[in-house]
Amino acid sequence: MMMGYDKFEQDLEKACGGVQQEFLKRFKDGVYLSAGGSNLETFINDLQKEYETLAVNFIKVNGLENDAAARKRVLTVAKQYAKKCTEEFSKIK
């Protein structure tokens, strides 16, 4: 397992909660005025941006740019956390 990998997972968990709270705040304040599933789509887009940033930073900090297997693993973990976070969020709505 890579150095800092546990911290990466903790950062993903933290980002999930942050994106959820920020989205719910904006939704409550009327920033997102839409019907149906587009609110969930907006949440997913926000979450994707946050997780991509975390993954890219983790890859860079750990010098994994040239390690295809490690990059794939990092992106797979981010994708798994994104799915879990989206499922949790869909239960809130």
Side-chain angles (χ1 to χ4, degrees):
M1 194 167 284
M2 294 172 250
M3 296 289 271
Y5 195 75
D6 289 338
K7 183 180 179 329
F8 176 60
E9 290 183 338
Q10 290 171 356
D11 290 347
L12 292 171
E13 285 285 337
K14 190 179 194 180
C16 174
V19 171
Q20 285 178 354
Q21 289 177 353
E22 179 63 25
F23 181 85
L24 291 173
K25 180 183 177 278
R26 289 186 287 181
F27 183 74
K28 179 182 172 200
D29 292 343
V31 174
Y32 291 118
L33 300 174
S34 59
S38 60
N39 287 333
L40 183 57
E41 182 179 335
T42 301
F43 171 79
I44 291 169
N45 289 336
D46 290 351
L47 183 66
Q48 181 178 5
K49 289 176 195 171
E50 186 68 25
Y51 276 18
E52 284 176 358
T53 300
L54 287 171
V56 167
N57 287 339
F58 181 81
I59 289 167
K60 188 179 227 180
V61 166
N62 288 284
L64 304 174
E65 295 91 348
N66 297 321
D67 187 340
R71 283 193 331 266
K72 184 177 179 180
R73 175 72 179 137
V74 168
L75 296 174
T76 298
V77 169
K79 185 177 179 180
Q80 290 169 341
Y81 272 83
K83 181 180 178 189
K84 178 182 171 190
C85 185
T86 302
E87 288 171 354
E88 290 172 4
F89 179 75
S90 66
K91 292 175 186 174
I92 293 172
K93 297 283 292 157

